[in-house]
Amino acid sequence: MTDKKEFEGRIERVLISKDEIDKKLKEYGEIIDREYAGKPLLLVSILKGAFIFLGDLSRSITIPHEIAFMAAQSYFEGTSSSGQVNITLDIAQDISDYHVLIVEDIIDTGRTLKVIHQRLKDRNPLSLKVLTLLDKPERRVVDFKADYTLFTIPDNFVIGYGLDCGEYYRNLPYIAEYKA
Ligand code: IMP
Ligand code: MG
């Protein structure tokens, strides 16, 4: 896509403003500061969707921590899930000396996190928790619950703040509903 009008025409409405996101970032930065004080903390972010969230969350945390990335694909194009999860990038480091916090953009069917959570759990981190920016509980296909959820949203496809539709819209500073 190269046409700005076409791009903007598919932004249905702002669901969560940048201000609302910033407030939650501050709140959860403080929660993580308290929870992991004095502990070796590793944030494991799932690319690509969580890249902006991870950047902001990391800067809202004031205690020392490391970051690492994994990548998984379950949506290949458009707004429908393929059902199959492929891990396309894995972390190389030993995580057995870390408290690991998985940082995800959205939990939809739950399939991606189920796979990633199990994969990390098998490597015996000191602890393993999940923090997600968004949760769409109505869409769950496999049982999965995050430890921390910033926003629970209804079953609409959303874009922005890292989340894409066909690789576009990740750059929107807010979260919006997509007009199909
Ligand atoms: P799940 O495996 O179905 O829970 O969802 C996995 C991935 O699908 C998420 O990490 C997102 O990258 C993507 N996804 C799910 N719902 C949406 C949405 O509403 N907008 C954009 N991406 C989504
Ligand atoms: Mg994702």
Side-chain angles (χ1 to χ4, degrees):
M1 191 194 299
T2 52
D3 185 67
K4 193 157 182 252
K5 279 229 164 61
E6 186 192 337
F7 177 81
E8 287 169 349
R10 295 211 177 265
I11 303 169
E12 178 82 39
R13 69 180 185 100
V14 177
L15 188 66
I16 305 169
S17 70
K18 185 65 171 72
D19 265 9
E20 289 174 272
I21 296 170
D22 287 345
K23 275 200 200 99
K24 286 280 185 186
L25 282 166
K26 191 168 179 294
E27 184 186 333
Y28 279 84
E30 287 166 5
I31 289 170
I32 294 166
D33 278 355
R34 275 199 304 275
E35 172 89 24
Y36 293 97
K39 297 175 179 170
L41 171 61
L42 176 67
L43 305 182
V44 175
S45 178
I46 317 297
L47 294 172
K48 300 174 191 171
F51 85 111
I52 290 188
F53 179 43
L54 189 267
D56 282 347
L57 182 74
S58 174
R59 286 177 292 180
S60 77
I61 297 170
T62 64
I63 61 168
H65 62 279
E66 295 178 39
I67 60 163
F69 294 98
M70 289 178 79
Q73 272 186 335
S74 57
Y75 270 77
F76 294 105
E77 211 175 291
T79 61
S80 62
S81 172
S82 66
Q84 199 204 326
V85 176
N86 296 324
I87 293 184
T88 53
L89 173 74
D90 203 344
I91 51 175
Q93 73 198 92
D94 180 1
I95 60 168
S96 61
D97 292 330
Y98 288 93
H99 290 270
V100 173
L101 181 62
I102 300 173
V103 177
E104 177 61 309
D105 54 352
I106 186 165
I107 311 180
D108 187 39
T109 64
R111 288 187 184 112
T112 305
L113 272 181
K114 193 107 192 171
V115 169
I116 286 184
H117 188 271
Q118 189 57 51
R119 186 141 335 172
L120 293 176
K121 198 173 161 205
D122 290 344
R123 297 173 193 169
N124 299 311
L126 296 172
S127 71
L128 181 61
K129 285 192 174 185
V130 174
L131 180 146
T132 187
L133 172 66
L134 304 170
D135 189 2
K136 279 199 249 181
E138 286 167 47
R139 296 257 311 164
R140 208 68 96 248
V141 171
V142 297
D143 189 36
F144 196 90
K145 271 195 92 161
D147 298 280
Y148 308 101
T149 300
L150 276 62
F151 301 97
T152 299
I153 61 169
D155 176 17
N156 287 316
F157 197 80
V158 291
I159 50 174
Y161 199 67
L163 290 116
D164 74 307
C165 184
E167 293 301 324
Y168 292 105
Y169 301 100
R170 297 190 195 277
N171 58 316
L172 301 179
Y174 49 81
I175 294 158
E177 273 172 20
Y178 179 75
K179 194 190 292 174

